[in-house]
């Protein structure tokens, strides 16, 4: 059930971005917010990497987008950083997460969260569902702002 809900939310975010061009995925929701669909996809690539690779396995996987100077750089793409690259990176992180998630739900993470807490895979799944659900709500509003689409 946890896997099913996580897959549902991953697919929902992908659908919210479907059929848009490079300019549209960069369109901000409502000023002064700089939240975009491109930023959400980049953020979720970081979240997938963080919880599954860094926390669950303890892998030394550095950041994809953020830096010490800009902790929210996943939401601040440069002009040369494209939707195609972001989507491919997000899908690669999801694929790696799926490989890692074959462990028992009760298996404890090898790595630590930045607050030094230890989690099991069940908790990570639950958190990821929550993370995607929250951001899919943002994606709903952004997509409606872009082209009026409210279904998907």
């Amino acid at each position: 059930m946890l896997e099913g809900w996580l897959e549902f939310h991953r697919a929902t975010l992908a659908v919210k971005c479907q059929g848009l061009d490079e300019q549209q995925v960069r369109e901000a929701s409502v000023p002064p917010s700089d939240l975009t669909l491109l930023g959400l996809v980049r953020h979720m690539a970081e979240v997938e990497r963080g919880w599954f690779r860094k926390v669950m396995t303890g892998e030394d996987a550095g950041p994809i987008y953020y830096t010490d100077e800009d902790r929210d750089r996943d939401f601040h793409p440069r002009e040369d950083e494209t939707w195609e690259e972001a989507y491919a990176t997000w899908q690669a992180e999801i694929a790696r997460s799926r490989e890692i998630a074959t462990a028992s739900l009760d298996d404890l993470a090898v790595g630590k969260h930045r607050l030094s807490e230890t989690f099991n895979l069940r908790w990570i799944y639950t958190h990821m569902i929550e993370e995607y659900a929250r951001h899919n709500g943002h994606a709903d509003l952004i997509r409606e702002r872009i082209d009026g689409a409210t279904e998907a």
Side-chain angles (χ1 to χ4, degrees):
M1 185 178 292
L2 293 173
E3 182 180 343
W5 277 111
L6 181 54
E7 292 297 337
F8 169 81
H9 282 292
R10 287 169 171 158
T12 298
L13 182 55
V15 166
K16 291 295 173 187
C17 299
Q18 233 170 15
L20 299 176
D21 63 28
E22 188 75 31
Q23 181 181 350
Q24 289 172 311
V25 296
R26 291 174 177 271
E27 189 172 324
S29 56
V30 179
S33 173
D34 57 1
L35 192 59
T36 65
L37 292 171
L38 176 59
L40 286 174
V41 164
R42 287 164 48 108
H43 175 68
M44 292 314 299
E46 291 276 17
V47 172
E48 292 274 356
R49 176 177 283 217
W51 282 105
F52 286 100
R53 292 174 67 177
K54 292 179 184 177
V55 175
M56 191 64 201
T57 69
E59 188 178 326
D60 185 19
I64 304 168
Y65 302 109
Y66 73 83
T67 64
D68 289 336
E69 295 77 35
D70 186 357
R71 301 293 294 170
D72 291 325
R73 203 172 98 56
D74 40 351
F75 292 112
H76 307 139
R78 296 184 313 252
E79 286 301 315
D80 64 328
E81 295 174 318
T82 66
W83 165 253
E84 185 178 344
E85 176 278 323
Y87 186 83
T89 298
W90 177 47
Q91 293 304 305
E93 290 301 325
I94 288 172
R96 181 70 179 112
S97 295
R98 287 179 181 134
E99 292 169 7
I100 292 165
T102 59
S104 165
L105 291 175
D106 295 318
D107 282 356
L108 291 178
V110 175
K112 297 280 187 184
H113 182 264
R114 68 180 177 271
L115 300 176
S116 297
E117 296 178 55
T118 302
F119 300 97
N120 64 21
L121 182 56
R122 182 185 323 277
W123 190 96
I124 292 171
Y125 260 120
T126 303
H127 175 71
M128 291 297 295
I129 292 164
E130 177 274 330
E131 183 89 15
Y132 270 102
R134 179 169 15 107
H135 290 312
N136 281 339
H138 297 135
D140 284 339
L141 295 172
I142 296 168
R143 181 64 190 248
E144 185 175 6
R145 166 99 167 74
I146 292 169
D147 66 1
T150 57
E151 296 294 318

